[in-house]
Amino acid sequence: MTRVICVGDSIRMGYEPTVVRELDGWAQVREMGNTQGGNTRNLLAHLEEWVIAPAPDIVHLNAGLHDLARDVGPGPETRVPLTEYRENLHAILTRLQRETDARLIFALTTPVDLARQQAYDYGINRINEDVVAFNRAASTLAGELGVALNDLYQVVVDHGVGEMLSVDGVHFSEEASAILGRVVAGAIRTVAASV
């Protein structure tokens, strides 16, 4: 069976159960469960444990929401500056390319709604302009490194950002997470078929 790991933040935590169901009998998905990938600094620090040591055939990863978070409404700086985000992501992807035989898929960060976050009193803020900028950097880097892209941002736009996002303006309803999970499972099957 194809060995798959999905690693990433809470958006991954939402869609992973659907990925497991969709690929049941075709792939062995190593579930990360409630393991929070966090930002690219954290992902880089845990790369050996979470991804390299298990030796998967396919890795689907997302990182960005925690990097672009701002502490104050919205503050002047993202928690991880865009230049460092790109450097960290480059280190993650190139290390995986060197130290595993896995096919890599990078999922773009999903849209956010600042007004909903503020009404929900989320505590930190994310703005969609940052999502677009961080996704642009990730897309360029993935292209340079030959890493497959899964445009989850566009999936949410196509299904309606307002309908997909939950009241907190960042996460998704159970139904929306299932839509994302089916798209992720499809991307994994597509990459596997292209070998």
Side-chain angles (χ1 to χ4, degrees), residues 169-183:
V170 175
H171 297 97
F172 297 95
S173 67
E174 189 173 326
E175 181 182 341
S177 289
I179 290 169
L180 294 175
R182 288 191 291 274
V183 170

Side-chain angles (χ1 to χ4, degrees), residues 21-147:
R21 283 192 301 275
E22 289 286 315
L23 299 181
D24 185 43
W26 179 84
Q28 179 185 21
V29 181
R30 181 174 188 263
E31 295 183 63
M32 298 292 290
N34 290 328
T35 301
Q36 172 60 265
N39 62 30
T40 51
R41 293 171 185 160
N42 192 55
L43 185 53
L44 193 53
H46 291 91
L47 206 57
E48 173 69 32
E49 171 193 356
W50 290 346
V51 186
I52 295 171
D57 300 305
I58 297 175
V59 178
H60 184 281
L61 66 137
N62 71 288
L65 276 176
H66 288 264
D67 296 79
L68 59 83
R70 295 171 182 262
D71 287 317
V72 196
E77 299 293 335
T78 57
R79 286 185 171 173
V80 176
L82 180 57
T83 52
E84 183 189 345
Y85 172 75
R86 190 183 192 287
E87 291 166 3
N88 291 346
L89 195 53
H90 184 274
I92 290 164
L93 296 174
T94 55
R95 188 168 171 208
L96 290 176
Q97 288 177 325
R98 280 193 320 269
E99 298 182 35
T100 74
D101 294 322
R103 301 293 302 271
L104 307 180
I105 307 167
F106 185 80
L108 295 182
T109 298
T110 48
V112 295
D113 184 315
L114 180 60
R116 286 191 190 184
Q117 293 168 68
Q118 290 173 333
Y120 189 76
D121 195 20
Y122 199 79
I124 56 175
N125 292 298
R126 297 170 174 95
I127 58 174
N128 215 57
E129 290 82 359
D130 288 333
V131 174
V132 170
F134 278 61
N135 279 345
R136 187 179 306 115
S139 297
T140 300
L141 181 60
E144 291 169 359
L145 297 177
V147 171

